[in-house]
Amino acid sequence: MLVFQDAKSHKFWQVTVEGAEQTIRFGKVGSAGQVKTKTFADSQSALEDAEVSAARKRKKGYVDAPGTSAPVDAYESVARIVAQIDHHLKTRDRDELEPWEADQWQFFASKPPADEQAILEAESALGVTLPDDYKAFLRIRNGTSDLANVVWGGLHQVEDLARVTENQRSLMRDSGAPDAASLIDQLDARLRPMSESNGWIVITTSARNRDHVCIDLDPDAAGISGQVFEFAVDGFPPRWLAASFTEFLEYYYYVTLLDERDAPDPMQRTTR
């Protein structure tokens, strides 16, 4: 939400995007304000228009309302990187790609937004509050297909989070899983061993069902809640990937898709 105040007025302006629908709420601070809704051709067009409109308001002197900048920024950052991924996958030169790669965009873009009730039910089943940026993604795109190839596979739909997370925990209890004690010296200082944490939420699983990407909501002292790491049940210790889900998507875009090894500043992932 943006606000503007001078000697004559104190007003607010807020834009939200749900799929291809854009909603703007504005008016005097303290009032319900007015609401205008507009439908665009697609979600990318709605997001791009929202960014242009917000930039115009900032040029007129509007600023982030106290206490609202972080959630708004989280949504806008995720929406921006999703739009960039969509655009890249949709417009790549098909002649240079394998057939399955040429179809990658439709698989990434094919999932509709998650239902709010489904997000609440997933949080209840997992016993956690999911990070704002991850929930922002779910409100834009409820997972992706396996062919989106986000590290090992597609991002899970919210309805599957509790099931796949419990499945991972079951595999870790399997007698064939590596002994936690044998990996402890190799464990990143930002991560707790799984036996000591209930905060590992699986968001991606490989085809063989033993390799995962997780959001960590119970980090060790050197870590950050919401950090992302990859984990294989049979063979090597967890590997830290990103400080947040947003940064994880940026890594996928800049490094995996664009093959840019010199990523932007937010992607500088130093070991702590």
Side-chain angles (χ1 to χ4, degrees), residues 79-151:
R80 184 179 300 110
I81 194 65
V82 168
Q84 288 174 315
I85 292 170
D86 276 346
H87 181 72
H88 174 82
L89 293 176
K90 187 178 182 180
T91 59
R92 288 184 303 172
D93 186 351
R94 296 302 194 261
D95 294 336
E96 298 179 0
L97 303 175
E98 296 293 333
W100 69 269
E101 292 179 308
D103 291 335
Q104 200 173 57
W105 174 78
Q106 85 175 75
F107 291 110
F108 183 83
S110 62
K111 303 294 184 183
D115 179 81
E116 287 296 324
Q117 184 60 35
I119 295 176
L120 291 173
E121 289 175 358
E123 290 183 314
S124 177
L126 291 163
V128 302
T129 298
L130 296 169
D132 287 339
D133 61 347
Y134 181 59
K135 288 193 286 188
F137 173 78
L138 292 172
R139 290 172 179 133
I140 299 168
R141 190 72 43 77
N142 187 14
T144 67
S145 82
D146 289 344
L147 290 185
N149 195 27
V150 184
V151 182

Side-chain angles (χ1 to χ4, degrees), residues 213-231:
V213 172
C214 304
I215 291 177
D216 181 13
L217 302 178
D218 184 24
D220 210 339
I224 301 171
S225 181
Q227 63 191 6
V228 180
F229 66 94
E230 61 182 355
F231 177 74

Side-chain angles (χ1 to χ4, degrees), residues 34 188 244 271:
Q34 301 178 52
D188 192 298
S244 66
T271 301

Side-chain angles (χ1 to χ4, degrees), residues 47-224:
L47 290 167
E48 290 176 349
D49 184 84
E51 290 180 0
V52 170
S53 297
R56 288 174 179 164
K57 288 296 182 182
R58 292 181 190 278
K59 287 183 178 180
K60 292 181 179 180
Y62 280 75
V63 296
D64 292 313
T68 66
S69 58
V72 171
D73 286 347
Y75 184 88
E76 290 179 351
S77 296
V78 171
R80 184 179 300 110
I81 194 65
V82 168
Q84 288 174 315
I85 292 170
D86 276 346
H87 181 72
H88 174 82
L89 293 176
K90 187 178 182 180
T91 59
R92 288 184 303 172
D93 186 351
R94 296 302 194 261
D95 294 336
E96 298 179 0
L97 303 175
E98 296 293 333
W100 69 269
E101 292 179 308
D103 291 335
Q104 200 173 57
W105 174 78
Q106 85 175 75
F107 291 110
F108 183 83
S110 62
K111 303 294 184 183
D115 179 81
E116 287 296 324
Q117 184 60 35
I119 295 176
L120 291 173
E121 289 175 358
E123 290 183 314
S124 177
L126 291 163
V128 302
T129 298
L130 296 169
D132 287 339
D133 61 347
Y134 181 59
K135 288 193 286 188
F137 173 78
L138 292 172
R139 290 172 179 133
I140 299 168
R141 190 72 43 77
N142 187 14
T144 67
S145 82
D146 289 344
L147 290 185
N149 195 27
V150 184
V151 182
W152 274 310
L155 291 163
H156 292 306
Q157 292 182 272
V158 67
E159 294 85 354
D160 296 328
L161 292 181
R163 176 182 58 80
V164 295
T165 296
E166 176 54 33
N167 182 58
Q168 180 202 11
R169 291 171 179 167
S170 297
L171 286 171
M172 283 301 294
R173 292 191 290 266
D174 189 315
S175 60
D179 182 4
S182 68
L183 297 178
I184 196 65
D185 290 338
Q186 306 173 58
L187 191 66
D188 192 298
R190 291 164 286 198
L191 303 171
R192 295 183 190 276
M194 188 172 186
S195 59
E196 300 176 10
S197 173
N198 289 317
W200 292 15
I201 309 302
V202 179
I203 59 172
T204 297
T205 302
S206 68
R208 67 179 192 147
N209 203 36
R210 296 180 73 83
D211 310 311
H212 312 274
V213 172
C214 304
I215 291 177
D216 181 13
L217 302 178
D218 184 24
D220 210 339
I224 301 171

